[in-house]
Amino acid sequence: MNDSPTGTGTAPARVEERLRAALAARAESVGPADLRAPRPPSATHSRRLPVRRVVAGLLALAAVAALVFLTVRDDRPRPAEPARSPRPATGTPAPVPTTVPPSPARPSPSSPGSATP
């Protein structure tokens, strides 16, 4: 591409001249008729972008919730609850009567009312 062995020469200058001429010709070809009047941005375009962001955010949130639900959910069966009595407990049971009469009370040998010499 380049004719000189040192890498500098007239070839880059020719390419640069051609580029400048092409850009100048393009700039001169644009006139006032090609330009349009500036308009403020329309409301429909400005509202569309946030709606898309909200929808994308909600979809991402739903995907994360589904992922958490599926990974945290425990598929193993739970153990059965302990067995319970068929009727509820009714306080303390009544004492069972005995046929042996109680023995009479005797004073204890260490009580202060006993007289031991």
Side-chain angles (χ1 to χ4, degrees):
M1 289 195 138
N2 198 351
D3 295 337
S4 69
T6 59
T8 59
T10 58
R14 281 189 228 153
V15 171
E16 188 175 339
E17 286 176 19
R18 288 179 65 192
L19 282 173
R20 285 181 190 261
L23 289 173
R26 180 69 179 152
E28 290 176 6
S29 70
V30 176
D34 297 325
L35 302 176
R36 62 183 164 106
R39 291 187 316 213
S42 65
T44 58
H45 181 66
S46 64
R47 283 187 177 178
R48 227 156 124 199
L49 184 61
V51 170
R52 286 183 183 173
R53 286 184 183 173
V54 168
V55 169
L58 289 175
L59 286 175
L61 184 63
V64 169
L67 182 67
V68 167
F69 176 74
L70 293 175
T71 56
V72 174
R73 197 175 87 186
D74 190 14
D75 290 337
R76 292 175 289 188
R78 294 185 177 153
E81 292 185 22
R84 294 188 182 169
S85 138
R87 42 194 165 128
T90 57
T92 58
V96 179
T98 61
T99 56
V100 179
S103 60
R106 294 184 218 163
S108 73
S110 62
S111 67
S114 63
T116 50

